[in-house]
Amino acid sequence: MQTHRAGNALAAFSFVLWGILPLYYQFLPQADINELLSFRIIFSVPFMLLAIMLLRRPMPSFSALWQDKRSLAMCGLAGLIMCVSWYAFTWALTQGNVLEASLGFFINPLFAIALGVLFLKERLSSAQLIASILGIVGIGYQVWHYGELPWISLIMGSFFALYGLCKKHIKYDALTSVTVESMLLAPVALTYLLYTISTGSSTVFASDVSTLLLYIGSAPVTLAPLIFFALAISRTSLTMVGLMQYIEPTLQFLLAVFLFGEVFDEVKAVSFGFIWLGLILCSLEAIAGMLRQRHRAA
């Protein structure tokens, strides 16, 4: 029971850290997203290796990684997919579109459900089916009124769901997987940064030291929640994790509306309302299932 509570606390803390990330990126308005992503990838490698060492986990060895070539290849694919999702997320945070980032994470479970049905042959429950329909209605309502798709939210939600699908085919542990993803992409990121420096097109190295440190800091501030999440996942149930994942977009939504003053008009209220209703139905179904399991166990 104590382990379970510790797991719940660690999971909640990880989602809170993810939820308040927009506060960090307010110090990097109009950031160069390409350079920011490159810095995050490169400095993720030493940060993850340090985290593995401090947590006294076994260091990833090349021979052990090479024995499972499929997982190694999937790490490369997962890293590329995460880059797309993170690019959209970072752009939203640095361009004053935190509300779009929030929407992306709210609709992510709906994409995850769709991928589960298409690729993992999972069956939709009644609540999941209704939630999917409500999500489509919510997005459709925005498109009808604004005349355009919420591209940033859709890219974030869909690619993060694809990232989750890739992770199901990786046999390495969570920390090793993230480290390998960064290692595989680091040469590309480093080559890009060296190119910007050699051509004089780098905005980071032409700026002050504080900006450079903020770019470097994007690695630990985004990976720290992931480490807490990895520690939590073995100590609590997936149902609890699924319920607590809405802490992140909820905090981002509150920051966007009440702190950053982003516009939350009637159209967005209706659109979010449909999506929230679907997620509430899924949450209630998950809670009911968890209570039934506990009753059987008793």
Side-chain angles (χ1 to χ4, degrees):
M1 182 63 74
Q2 229 174 4
T3 303
H4 196 75
R5 286 176 181 171
N8 290 343
L10 285 167
F13 185 59
S14 70
F15 287 121
V16 168
L17 289 180
W18 267 315
I20 61 175
L21 263 181
L23 295 173
Y24 183 86
Y25 284 95
Q26 292 306 299
F27 295 103
L28 289 168
Q30 309 299 318
D32 186 304
I33 307 301
N34 294 323
E35 287 187 280
L36 187 56
L37 183 61
S38 298
F39 269 88
R40 181 187 178 274
I41 292 169
I42 292 167
F43 285 93
S44 290
V45 177
F47 180 79
M48 289 304 300
L49 291 174
L50 178 63
I52 290 171
M53 183 178 69
L54 291 175
L55 293 170
R56 298 180 180 178
R57 302 290 177 87
M59 282 288 182
S61 67
F62 180 77
S63 58
L65 296 174
W66 190 249
Q67 286 177 358
D68 189 353
K69 296 181 182 65
R70 187 187 181 199
S71 291
L72 190 62
M74 290 305 292
C75 276
L77 180 59
L80 289 172
I81 290 171
M82 175 53 80
C83 279
V84 177
S85 179
W86 201 259
Y87 191 97
F89 178 57
T90 309
W91 184 90
L93 297 190
T94 57
Q95 305 296 317
N97 290 285
V98 178
L99 208 52
E100 287 195 51
S102 171
L103 178 61
F105 284 116
F106 273 126
I107 61 177
N108 165 251
L110 303 180
F111 280 109
I113 289 169
L115 292 177
V117 172
L118 290 173
F119 295 101
L120 304 178
K121 308 303 179 185
E122 295 177 356
R123 300 182 107 184
L124 279 179
S125 66
S126 300
Q128 288 174 333
L129 178 60
I130 295 170
S132 300
I133 294 170
L134 289 171
I136 293 169
V137 172
I139 297 298
Y141 188 78
Q142 273 203 44
V143 175
W144 181 46
H145 277 271
Y146 294 149
E148 60 181 12
L149 286 165
W151 286 111
I152 295 299
S153 304
L154 292 173
I155 291 171
M156 278 180 56
S158 60
F159 274 82
F160 197 67
L162 284 169
Y163 177 74
L165 181 64
C166 283
K167 298 291 267 188
K168 286 186 175 291
H169 299 282
I170 297 173
K171 294 180 181 177
Y172 309 144
D173 66 82
L175 296 182
T176 300
S177 174
V178 174
T179 307
V180 172
E181 289 165 27
S182 301
M183 283 179 168
L184 292 174
L185 294 174
V188 179
L190 184 59
T191 301
Y192 175 78
L193 282 184
L194 291 174
Y195 169 78
T196 61
I197 294 170
S198 63
T199 58
S201 58
S202 172
T203 59
V204 181
F205 290 100
S207 59
D208 53 31
V209 176
S210 62
T211 301
L212 177 62
L213 292 175
L214 284 168
Y215 272 68
I216 293 172
S218 65
V221 299
T222 53
L223 290 172
L226 185 63
I227 292 169
F228 283 110
F229 180 78
L231 293 173
I233 203 72
S234 60
R235 293 173 170 85
T236 188
S237 66
L238 288 176
T239 302
M240 285 302 298
V241 170
L243 292 173
M244 285 191 284
Q245 70 177 318
Y246 302 122
I247 293 172
E248 177 188 356
T250 300
L251 287 175
Q252 290 170 0
F253 172 83
L254 294 173
L255 287 173
V257 176
F258 296 107
L259 186 61
F260 305 142
E262 293 186 24
V263 177
F264 185 64
D265 55 22
E266 292 181 4
V267 174
K268 288 179 180 175
V270 172
S271 178
F272 270 80
F274 277 114
I275 294 165
W276 285 336
L277 180 58
L279 296 178
I280 288 169
L281 290 175
C282 285
S283 298
L284 291 174
E285 182 182 61
I287 291 169
M290 187 169 58
L291 291 174
R292 281 196 298 270
Q293 283 184 343
R294 286 185 180 179
H295 180 70
R296 286 171 190 160

